[in-house]
Amino acid sequence: MSNQQKSNILPIAVMFSLFFMIAFVTNFAGSMGVIVKNQFNASNALSQLGTFANFIAYACMGIPGGIILKRKGYKFTSLTAVTVGFVGVGIQWLSGYAESFGVYVLGAFIAGFSMCLLNIVVNPMLNTLGGGGNRGNQLIQFGGSCNSIGGTIAPILLGYLIGGEAAKASVADAAPAMMIAMGIFLLAFVVIFFTNIPEPHLETPEQRANKVKDSHSPLSFRHFVLGALAIFFYVGVEVGIPNMANLYMSNNPAVGAAIAGTIVGIYWLMMMFGRLIGGAVGGKVSSKVMLASVSLLAIVFLLCVIFMPETWVVAFKGVELPISMIFMFLCGLCTSVMWGAIFNLAAEGLGKYTPAASGIFMTLVCGGGIIPLVQGLVADMPSVGYLGSYVVTICALLYILWYALFGSKNVNKDIPTE
């Protein structure tokens, strides 16, 4: 191992921990819906307001975050992200003691800024630390696995902190998990501050002054615009499926918050398995076929969730769990590969416009807050309820299926991209 590789071990480890934190804090916001619904007497829709605030921050920070990274570099952006994350989680922690729903939503919004900046930083930084090529891609894949682990642990941990009675849950119950998150952010800040991080893509003032304005942009490509919308719907699907299932099971006295958190954790675990499978077959199956197949399969699974009788149960850790929830966590196998497939199809043929396209993609991640909020509004309808609200998710999946089959074709090949 070279001296350069040895010197990169620490920052690589920090990036892995930040990958973990992105999913942990994001999924934590979704799982907190159970607590918010009970402590603040919120509706199903308002219980998703923390997730909405967390993701709507992407709409505000996606493109500015890319500009900050380009002008200030990896180190500055990383330090800013972990600082903002520490503050955001800290405010959420204080909201329980302040007995304020507004303070909680503010904390979730601030934490969302951090998650957006971290998403913008970690992928290119790991690729840079790995020296690009296969090694850089390998580090990103390992980072993705850490992301899945964080997503799996968050709902399970919160479920057990709440215990069996969701009706008595409060934000204070989640304090240990928030303290862990703040501790990791603090440690990451110290390590990044004292670590020498390469900045090969830092833009100088001279380069900005001499930049020539292009007559085209990623928005000039029809398949990219439709793909960006597919990303909006996809993130809403990915988040909405487990969030609503968590509310449904936690408020079922026969199941409880602890078991609900475990089942939702299995959904994110299925996503990790799905990514491993997707990586293995990705070189043999086209993104179009893969996206169409998993979208159709997810629609079938959710139809089973909606229409399978709630009286059909299976024993799980001493409780009677609705069989429909098995199809819920199996959806994780489908959603796991959608981001990569959509990005691949939408970025096809963009050439020099790809970096700008990435910033737009990050902005459209806000769908992860908007779609669950809409689903919550539908769930509040007496004639619909928790399970019936999955019709919102199915509509989003139908668009993704249409994009895979028809909308992903590049019809703007006449635009120069070199």
Side-chain angles (χ1 to χ4, degrees), residues 21-22 24-29 32 54 81-97 103-115 118 171 174-186:
M21 287 306 301
I22 290 171
F24 184 87
V25 174
T26 300
N27 291 0
F28 193 76
M32 284 288 287
N54 193 275
V82 296
T83 301
V84 173
F86 181 89
V87 172
V89 174
I91 291 175
Q92 291 181 78
W93 171 57
L94 291 173
S95 71
Y97 301 97
V103 172
Y104 164 74
V105 173
L106 175 63
F109 182 65
I110 293 174
F113 279 111
S114 172
M115 297 307 101
L118 289 178
V171 175
M178 294 186 189
M179 296 299 289
I180 291 172
M182 292 167 67
I184 295 176
F185 278 134
L186 184 59

Side-chain angles (χ1 to χ4, degrees), residues 5-332:
Q5 288 175 318
K6 289 180 179 178
S7 66
N8 285 342
I9 289 177
L10 192 55
I12 287 173
V14 172
M15 289 306 105
F16 283 175
S17 71
L18 293 181
F19 248 122
F20 174 94
M21 287 306 301
I22 290 171
F24 184 87
V25 174
T26 300
N27 291 0
F28 193 76
S31 300
M32 284 288 287
V34 176
I35 291 177
V36 169
K37 180 177 173 62
N38 293 285
Q39 181 173 2
F40 301 117
N41 196 29
S43 64
N44 290 312
L46 289 178
S47 74
Q48 299 303 300
L49 205 55
T51 299
F52 174 82
N54 193 275
F55 277 99
I56 207 67
Y58 282 78
C60 303
M61 184 52 68
I63 294 176
I67 296 173
I68 292 172
L69 178 63
K70 207 168 191 178
R71 295 187 178 182
K72 295 293 186 178
Y74 292 132
K75 187 166 185 174
F76 176 89
T77 310
S78 299
L79 290 173
T80 301
V82 296
T83 301
V84 173
F86 181 89
V87 172
V89 174
I91 291 175
Q92 291 181 78
W93 171 57
L94 291 173
S95 71
Y97 301 97
E99 296 283 336
S100 171
F101 181 56
V103 172
Y104 164 74
V105 173
L106 175 63
F109 182 65
I110 293 174
F113 279 111
S114 172
M115 297 307 101
C116 180
L117 286 173
L118 289 178
N119 265 304
I120 291 171
V121 166
V122 291
N123 287 286
M125 183 181 282
L126 278 179
N127 188 57
T128 299
L129 292 171
N134 292 338
R135 172 64 175 163
N137 181 59
Q138 184 181 38
L139 288 179
I140 293 174
Q141 296 307 317
F142 282 134
S145 298
C146 293
N147 186 270
S148 295
I149 293 170
T152 301
I153 291 175
I156 295 176
L157 175 59
L158 190 60
Y160 279 96
L161 288 174
I162 295 173
E165 297 186 63
K168 297 180 180 179
S170 68
V171 175
D173 294 328
M178 294 186 189
M179 296 299 289
I180 291 172
M182 292 167 67
I184 295 176
F185 278 134
L186 184 59
L187 177 62
F189 182 93
V190 173
V191 173
I192 294 172
F193 185 83
F194 290 105
T195 300
N196 181 30
I197 296 174
E199 302 281 4
H201 307 302
L202 187 63
E203 186 180 62
T204 64
E206 292 76 16
Q207 289 173 323
R208 290 198 295 272
N210 296 328
K211 187 179 292 184
V212 179
K213 184 173 177 60
D214 205 312
S215 59
H216 294 96
S217 75
L219 298 178
S220 303
F221 296 82
R222 171 182 172 272
H223 74 290
F224 169 75
V225 173
L226 296 175
L229 187 57
I231 284 290
F232 175 88
F233 284 123
Y234 156 69
V235 183
V237 167
E238 178 194 281
V239 176
I241 290 174
N243 279 14
M244 192 53 60
N246 202 7
L247 284 171
Y248 167 64
M249 290 185 289
S250 295
N251 288 283
N252 182 344
V255 180
I259 298 299
T262 300
I263 298 300
V264 171
I266 294 175
Y267 168 87
W268 296 103
L269 189 63
M270 290 295 103
M271 285 195 67
M272 184 175 72
F273 291 146
R275 284 169 177 165
L276 294 174
I277 296 170
V281 304
K284 302 175 183 178
V285 180
S286 71
S287 295
K288 180 176 181 177
V289 171
M290 182 181 292
L291 183 60
S293 300
V294 295
S295 299
L296 184 59
L297 186 58
I299 290 171
V300 172
F301 285 159
L302 288 180
L303 287 173
C304 291
V305 170
I306 293 174
F307 293 108
M308 189 165 286
E310 294 182 60
T311 54
W312 292 9
V313 297
V314 62
F316 181 83
K317 291 192 173 184
V319 304
E320 293 186 340
L321 181 74
I323 291 178
S324 60
M325 290 298 97
I326 294 176
F327 293 97
M328 180 281 299
F329 68 66
L330 285 177
C331 286

